[in-house]
Every structure is written in structure tokens, then in C-alpha cells.
Amino acid sequence: RAAANAGIAPFWRVIDHTKFGPASDSPSQSAAAPDDISPGDVLVIDRHAAHEIEMGKVSAAAGHLSFDFVDDAIAMALRPRAGAGRADPWHADAIVTAPISKEAWKRAGHGRYPGHTELLAERCGVDSAAMLFHAPADAATNRRELNVVLVTIHVPLMRVASLLSPVRIAGVIGLGAAAVRELGRDSGHGSPRVGVCGLNPHAGEHGLMGDEDERIIVPAIELARARGVDADGPFPADTIYNAALRGRFDLVVAMYHDQGLIPVKVLAWDRAVNVTLGLPIIRTSPDHGTAFDIADKNMADEGSMVSAIELAAQMARRKAARAL
């Protein structure tokens, strides 16, 4: 529907959902792939109920479909790459998710998942996962690369302080540093320099504006350093991003969602990519939301989605090379 609206000729193959079976852990039990699939083919797995959805409207029906699409993708990524002497036709090397409506998921009965990240963590059997936002360097504006990782994700602001602990923060610092080291292997991030945001204004100003910075964040930084990470802080969140863009830090660690995402989206709305850390599979996504206000109007900027697909492909190639 969207392609027809945009005047784009079909370049994909449609496969009926009932003929594809990624849910089984055994490749021998998966549905047979069409014999004439070639590398580079784009396959669309069609759930027929999708044709009943009204564009740009929140509904339980849309929430069910959205959730099922993501669940299918996770199941494909978790399948073995090969088995029984042959490649698994339904294995996916990486997932690139489009934005979801959390309200639609809730209406469909999936409200216990605040977003993709929490569902991915549960399906992959990990205790926690982190969100890293990667904004590539921009030669046209002479802007440096910016990487931001979040300690807490989709939680109310009033709960953030209660969720922070030295162990949790240090764990996210380590995950973020390892990811930046991997992403930047071609640009020299051998030992990423990590700047950590404070929670309170002015990073607490020595307890005058809250004690969490010295009581929780400082021990977390010390723990990360003991684990070999070049981390420093806590720094006021209203100045740390300028320091990062001047080249002082390769990674900024933010304590909560908007503390990290406002600068990323202001600086690189059309190019930034979200990478989920701590999973056994690769998952990226654009940095924006559903934009229901422009749904079905052929107005969306594809830049962040293109960047997410390119980064996922790059990560998948490197993962495959390491497995050789």
C-alpha cells in the first residue's frame, strides 16, 4: 500500500505467513523456502490481517500485528544459521525494527513490554539490555560522531533514581564501551573514552541538589575503571555533550531516556541509529517514532532507517567474519 502510494514498483516477493515457520527451534521442522530464492531477494511475509488496518490509527488490531511481526523477526534471528548439513532458510543475521506504537501494543494486551528492548531481552533470555544511539560523523557540517547509551529506558521519570545502582550503571558503561570499540574498529576507538552524566542538575553540586551522583554514580565509575574502562564523571548533562562533540569523549552514558535522546535527536534526527546491547543477536532501529501525523502521506524521511539497515549489515558481516 505504501509503495503504491509513493509510486514505487514492486521489488519484493510475497510469502504467505502460513507457509513460513520460524517458530520451531529445529531447522528440519521449518517450512520449506521457495526453490528460486536468491541472495538479495526481498521477501515480504504477509499476514493477511494487515490489509484491514487503517493507516495512522492506533488500534488493538494494529498492535497485535505489530507485536507478531517483531516476534517473527526475533524467532528468525534466534534460529541457528545452519543445521543438518544445510543453511536454514528462515535464519536472520540481524533485525532492523521500524517504530512501534506502545499504546497499540497495550491495547492488544502486550502492555507489559514498554518497547522493543524489553521484549527482545525476554525472548533472548538476558536479564537486561541497553540502548545505544549512534550518530555518525557528518562531513558536511563538520560534526563528530556521537554515541550515547542509556542506563534506564522506558520508565517514568519519578522512578529513575530508585532504579540506579553502582552495579547497573557500571554494567551499562561496560556494554557501551565494548559496543563503541566494535563500531569504531575502523576509526580508532581502541579504548573508548567514556563520559558519564550526573543524574541531578550540575551533577548534584556536591550534594546540594541530591546525593545520588556521589552516592551511586561515583562508585559506578570507580567499578567500571576497575574493570578496565576509561570512564570519567559524573558531569553535568547540560555540558557533557559539547565536550563529546569537541572530541573529549567517544561515548556518553545518560541516566535516563530524555537526558540522552534529546541531544541525539536535535543533532542527528535523520541519521542516528539505535543499537540494542547485551543480546546474542543484532538489532538496530531508527531513532524516531511512528509519526502518525504523516502516515500514508509519502512525506517520511527515510534517512535514519537507511542508516539502521546499513549499520545492521555492517555488524552482521563482522559477526560472520569472526565466526570463520
Side-chain angles (χ1 to χ4, degrees):
R1 286 168 62 185
N5 186 35
I8 298 171
F11 55 87
W12 56 85
R13 296 270 306 280
V14 175
I15 297 179
D16 191 299
H17 180 263
T18 61
K19 297 180 180 178
F20 125 102
S24 169
D25 291 331
S26 171
S28 63
Q29 297 176 20
S30 67
D35 293 334
D36 57 346
I37 290 179
S38 301
D41 284 355
V42 176
L43 308 181
V44 174
I45 299 167
D46 186 19
R47 288 180 176 268
H48 297 288
H51 303 290
E52 310 299 323
I53 298 302
E54 186 177 357
M55 292 277 198
K57 301 292 184 181
V58 176
S59 68
H64 278 299
L65 277 168
S66 171
F67 187 88
D68 287 344
F69 288 140
V70 177
D71 232 6
D72 284 344
I74 296 171
M76 293 174 75
L78 287 172
R79 290 178 65 82
R81 186 181 180 91
R86 63 183 178 87
D88 185 340
W90 300 126
H91 165 80
D93 289 324
I95 299 172
V96 182
T97 60
I100 60 166
S101 165
K102 297 172 178 60
E103 182 183 352
W105 275 25
K106 184 175 181 178
R107 290 192 188 185
H110 304 299
R112 69 191 186 92
Y113 302 108
H116 286 106
T117 307
E118 294 80 4
L119 174 62
L120 282 155
E122 181 179 289
R123 292 292 190 264
C124 292
V126 300
D127 292 333
S128 61
M131 295 171 66
L132 172 80
F133 288 83
H134 170 72
D138 186 350
T141 61
N142 201 32
R143 188 187 67 230
R144 291 177 180 267
E145 172 187 301
L146 178 64
N147 297 293
V148 180
V149 68
L150 308 181
V151 175
T152 63
I153 306 176
H154 301 118
V155 298
L157 190 57
M158 66 183 297
R159 289 186 56 209
V160 169
S162 67
L163 294 173
L164 299 179
S165 69
V167 171
R168 178 172 186 164
I169 297 170
V172 172
I173 292 172
L175 282 174
V180 170
R181 185 163 52 247
E182 176 65 19
L183 290 173
R185 284 197 301 173
D186 299 330
S187 53
H189 293 327
S191 180
R193 297 158 299 170
V194 181
V196 182
C197 291
L199 174 67
N200 298 297
H202 302 184
E205 202 154 317
H206 304 292
L208 293 176
M209 301 181 192
D211 68 347
E212 292 88 356
D213 302 273
E214 293 192 3
R215 179 170 54 86
I216 301 174
I217 301 177
V218 168
I221 294 170
E222 293 172 348
L223 179 57
R225 287 175 180 162
R227 295 172 177 174
V229 180
D230 182 7
D232 200 4
F235 297 103
D238 60 353
T239 59
I240 192 171
Y241 294 98
N242 282 327
L245 291 172
R246 289 196 303 268
R248 182 174 176 184
F249 303 117
D250 303 307
L251 172 69
V252 175
V253 179
M255 294 299 117
Y256 57 92
H257 186 278
D258 287 8
Q259 188 183 61
L261 289 193
I262 289 173
V264 169
K265 293 186 177 185
V266 168
L267 291 166
W269 173 264
D270 60 341
R271 298 190 66 200
V273 178
N274 170 29
V275 182
T276 307
L277 310 182
L279 302 176
I281 61 178
I282 295 169
R283 180 262 177 156
T284 68
S285 73
D287 71 338
H288 53 71
T290 51
F292 281 170
D293 58 319
I294 60 171
D296 212 25
K297 296 181 180 179
N298 196 22
M299 294 171 57
D301 186 327
E302 77 283 3
S304 183
M305 175 61 86
V306 171
S307 294
I309 294 169
E310 290 175 341
L311 183 59
Q314 172 189 321
M315 294 172 69
R317 285 193 295 268
R318 286 181 173 176
K319 184 176 180 178
R322 288 196 300 270
L324 296 177

